[in-house]
């Protein structure tokens, strides 16, 4: 039995305007206002936060707290009010469980989340009862979408969720997750998420070992295109983990230059059929994808981390210029950010501070890198598609690490700001304590 949806609501009102800082007002991470005093997230379930302008102008976000509660919050850009609500009590203490959030055409919040590859526990879908409110919710939907017949004998678990909707396909919704056989799976809905098709594997690398799992990021223009960036697997076990790209449009998959790869009905696709954005077999430096977006010309942009060694993380910006992929080195990021106990071996040495694109303008990047032993947030912007960059501090002289930035999605103009984790403790993805901080416009 899943937990019932509690009715706990917490309302926080700003007492002054000084808590809202822009990137030009760099300050310690702790000086920024907290969206929540207890929250964390991974970077493979998105959107983690979205802006919606209707009767109100609000940002909605979701996270998992240190007790394993799945929570959502809303921030009102006019009066500074923050409302918090626990959707699911003690689901699981694991930051992989953070939800993805979506606003339907009526302005109602939909929230997707799951446990981290735990048994056959499903994807949960919570739907707000009324537009622009997180105080009342319909009964939870449970989505057991993996095809256990076609993929009989393979793993039947759920991790991560990514949701997009295409207006050009009569508002069909596409839900992506890591599911059957630990591969990227997908399902579609044509009735605003009430019913879903049986899941199907999207990407299928050669099964050279059990549960080989590509990591995937998703972006869309919300009309007729979905962009995918993905890896061979996990950098822990893939010494030549590369970065690949594909585009969905009009029922087909394409490379960035428009070359057709296959019809959507012919899935799954193999990584070797996709664009190779970064080929780690040549450099012998494994990589991990962090984000993908579409620029104003409709071309894909990605950001990723490379690992010359596990203690040296380097951020890269990849952009398709209409004919080829160009990859630009941004900065060394330091090493992993988890707080490895003395004498212990770090279990996640490829957990970088994190890098995220502004999906409204991917010439802007927010990244976390180690400076003087602390991870700080920086804003990078380019006017020439990655050749040169202007860098502005968002945080400086922080006491705690600032990691995993996420630019609030807007989809209709300028992003209203950036959120990130300010962590007091991060031993493992099951042992953490931190706050979600924000730098937003009023």
């Amino acid at each position: 039995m899943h937990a019932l949806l509690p009715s706990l609501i917490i309302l926080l009102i700003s007492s002054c305007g000084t808590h809202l800082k822009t990137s030009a007002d760099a300050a310690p991470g702790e000086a920024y206002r907290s969206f929540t005093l207890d929250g964390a997230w991974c970077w493979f379930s998105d959107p983690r936060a979205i802006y919606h302008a209707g009767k109100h102008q609000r940002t909605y976000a979701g996270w998992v707290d240190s007790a394993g509660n799945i929570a959502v919050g809303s921030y009102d850009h006019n009066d500074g009010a923050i409302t918090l609500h626990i959707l699911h009590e003690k689901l699981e203490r694991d930051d992989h469980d953070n939800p993805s959030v979506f606003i339907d055409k009526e302005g109602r919040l939909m929230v997707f989340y799951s446990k981290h590859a735990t048994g056959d526990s499903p994807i949960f879908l919570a739907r707000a009862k009324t537009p622009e409110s997180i105080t009342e919710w319909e009964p939870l939907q449970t989505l057991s979408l993996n095809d256990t017949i076609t993929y009989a004998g393979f793993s039947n678990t759920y991790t991560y969720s990514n949701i997009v909707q295409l207006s050009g396909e009569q508002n069909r919704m596409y839900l992506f997750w890591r599911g059957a056989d630990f591969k990227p799976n997908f399902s579609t809905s044509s009735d605003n998420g009430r019913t879903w098709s049986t899941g199907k594997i999207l990407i299928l690398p050669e099964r050279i070992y059990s549960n080989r799992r590509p990591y995937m990021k998703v972006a869309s223009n919300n009309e007729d295109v979905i962009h995918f960036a993905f890896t061979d697997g996990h950098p822990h076990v893939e010494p030549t983990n590369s970065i690949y790209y594909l585009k969905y449009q009009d029922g087909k998959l394409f490379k960035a230059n428009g070359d057709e790869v296959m019809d959507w009905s012919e899935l799954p696709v193999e990584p070797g059929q996709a664009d190779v954005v970064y080929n780690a077999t040549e450099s012998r430096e494994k990589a991990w994808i962090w984000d993908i977006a579409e620029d104003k010309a409709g071309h894909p942009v990605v950001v990723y981390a490379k690992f010359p060694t596990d203690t040296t993380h380097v951020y890269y910006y990849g952009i398709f210029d209409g004919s080829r992929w160009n990859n630009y080195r941004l900065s060394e990021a330091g090493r992993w950010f988890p707080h490895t106990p003395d004498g212990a071996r770090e279990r996640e040495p490829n957990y970088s501070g994190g890098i995220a694109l502004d999906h409204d303008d991917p010439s802007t990047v927010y990244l976390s890198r180690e400076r003087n032993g602390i991870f700080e947030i920086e804003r990078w912007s380019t006017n020439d598609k990655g050749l040169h960059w202007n860098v502005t501090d968002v945080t400086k002289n922080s006491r705690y690490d600032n990691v995993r930035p996420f630019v609030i999605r807007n989809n209709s103009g300028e992003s209203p700001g950036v959120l990130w984790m300010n962590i007091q403790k991060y031993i493992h993805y099951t042992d953490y304590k931190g706050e979600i901080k924000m730098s937003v416009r009023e």
Side-chain angles (χ1 to χ4, degrees):
M1 290 288 292
H2 58 74
L4 296 177
L5 300 182
S7 58
L8 174 64
I9 304 294
I10 303 173
L11 185 65
L12 304 176
I13 302 292
S14 162
S15 60
C16 64
T18 58
H19 60 274
L20 292 176
K21 298 178 183 298
T22 69
S23 57
D25 303 317
E30 299 76 40
Y32 285 83
R33 191 176 184 194
S34 297
F35 207 133
T36 178
L37 299 176
D38 187 1
W41 52 37
C42 192
W43 72 99
F44 287 108
S45 288
D46 278 329
R48 278 163 274 170
I50 52 177
Y51 172 83
H52 178 75
K55 180 180 179 181
H56 307 280
Q57 294 180 327
R58 290 175 177 166
T59 288
Y60 301 87
W63 52 81
V64 55
D65 69 21
S66 60
N69 299 312
I70 302 299
V72 293
S74 67
Y75 169 78
D76 193 295
H77 290 262
N78 290 321
D79 63 16
I82 294 177
T83 304
L84 306 181
H85 183 81
I86 294 177
L87 279 176
H88 201 137
E89 288 184 316
K90 296 183 179 179
L91 175 72
E92 183 182 46
R93 191 183 187 193
D94 191 317
D95 71 11
H96 291 61
D97 299 354
N98 77 268
S100 56
V101 293
F102 176 80
I103 299 286
D104 71 12
K105 298 300 181 182
E106 296 178 357
R108 290 185 300 173
L109 197 68
M110 297 169 65
V111 183
F112 299 79
Y113 60 94
S114 70
K115 288 187 175 182
H116 180 195
T118 303
D120 60 355
S121 180
I123 296 173
F124 295 98
L125 169 53
R127 188 190 305 265
K129 284 187 176 181
T130 57
E132 300 183 60
S133 173
I134 62 170
T135 60
E136 293 185 285
W137 298 80
E138 295 182 6
L140 278 176
Q141 278 182 258
T142 56
L143 307 180
S144 296
L145 301 176
N146 287 336
D147 186 342
T148 57
I149 297 175
T150 302
Y151 309 120
F154 293 106
S155 60
N156 174 31
T157 63
Y158 298 85
T159 309
Y160 311 128
S161 58
N162 287 264
I163 182 69
V164 300
Q165 185 175 51
L166 299 185
S167 62
E169 295 188 1
Q170 297 182 316
N171 293 321
R172 179 181 288 121
M173 300 176 73
Y174 287 77
L175 177 63
F176 302 92
W177 70 95
R178 189 179 75 194
D181 195 25
F182 265 69
K183 305 300 185 288
N185 282 233
F186 75 95
S187 174
T188 62
S189 174
S190 297
D191 56 5
N192 203 38
R194 297 294 180 181
T195 61
W196 296 85
S197 64
T198 300
K200 187 172 183 178
I201 290 177
L202 174 62
I203 298 163
L204 183 62
E206 184 181 359
R207 292 187 174 102
I208 58 177
Y209 58 86
S210 178
N211 291 336
R212 192 181 192 192
R213 54 192 193 276
Y215 283 77
M216 184 173 75
K217 296 292 292 186
V218 179
S220 176
N221 66 359
N222 305 303
E223 297 176 3
D224 61 347
V225 169
I226 308 173
H227 302 277
F228 306 100
F230 56 95
T231 66
D232 296 290
H234 195 297
H236 257 185
V237 290
E238 299 275 354
T240 56
N241 211 35
S242 298
I243 306 294
Y244 303 92
Y245 168 81
L246 283 169
K247 179 178 75 172
Y248 165 83
Q249 189 172 25
D250 297 328
K252 299 180 185 295
L253 283 176
F254 301 89
K255 294 184 177 182
N257 65 1
D259 288 351
E260 183 177 334
V261 175
M262 65 168 57
D263 191 88
W264 193 245
S265 64
E266 298 172 342
L267 292 170
V269 64
E270 300 174 4
Q273 297 173 278
D275 263 346
V276 180
V277 179
Y278 164 65
N279 188 348
T281 62
E282 296 176 351
S283 67
R284 311 300 296 184
E285 295 178 0
K286 60 189 179 182
W288 215 351
I289 188 64
W290 270 90
D291 205 0
I292 182 170
E294 177 184 291
D295 69 12
K296 296 186 185 306
H299 297 146
V301 181
V302 301
V303 285
Y304 57 95
K306 284 171 57 175
F307 309 98
T309 69
D310 282 342
T311 55
T312 304
H313 301 194
V314 185
Y315 293 137
Y316 278 80
Y317 181 88
I319 183 168
F320 188 75
D321 66 6
S323 59
R324 65 187 295 269
W325 282 94
N326 298 302
N327 290 273
Y328 299 101
R329 183 184 187 278
L330 296 182
S331 173
E332 286 195 13
R335 62 171 198 167
W336 61 77
F337 79 83
H339 307 153
T340 314
D342 291 342
R345 175 179 173 270
E346 175 53 47
R347 288 178 283 179
E348 297 294 345
N350 301 120
Y351 274 10
S352 307
I355 180 170
L357 294 161
D358 181 339
H359 282 224
D360 290 302
D361 181 8
S363 66
T364 296
V365 172
Y366 288 85
L367 59 84
S368 165
R369 68 184 185 98
E370 192 176 13
R371 301 204 313 256
N372 301 317
I374 295 292
F375 283 84
E376 305 281 14
I377 304 295
E378 298 174 352
R379 181 183 185 272
W380 288 54
S381 61
T382 178
N383 293 319
D384 53 15
K385 300 185 183 299
L387 282 172
H388 302 92
W389 294 86
N390 295 314
V391 181
T392 306
D393 292 339
V394 177
T395 67
K396 65 180 180 181
N397 301 321
S398 300
R399 177 181 179 185
Y400 299 120
D401 291 327
N402 303 281
V403 299
R404 293 181 178 171
F406 180 81
V407 185
I408 299 166
R409 302 279 175 86
N410 185 5
N411 301 322
S412 61
E414 182 183 358
S415 172
V418 60
L419 310 176
W420 68 90
M421 291 167 53
N422 178 260
I423 53 172
Q424 293 88 54
K425 179 181 75 168
Y426 196 102
I427 306 301
H428 189 242
Y429 56 72
T430 60
D431 186 3
Y432 52 84
K433 180 64 168 70
E435 304 178 15
I436 302 296
K437 293 291 187 177
M438 59 189 201
S439 174
V440 297
R441 61 174 170 80
E442 297 182 21

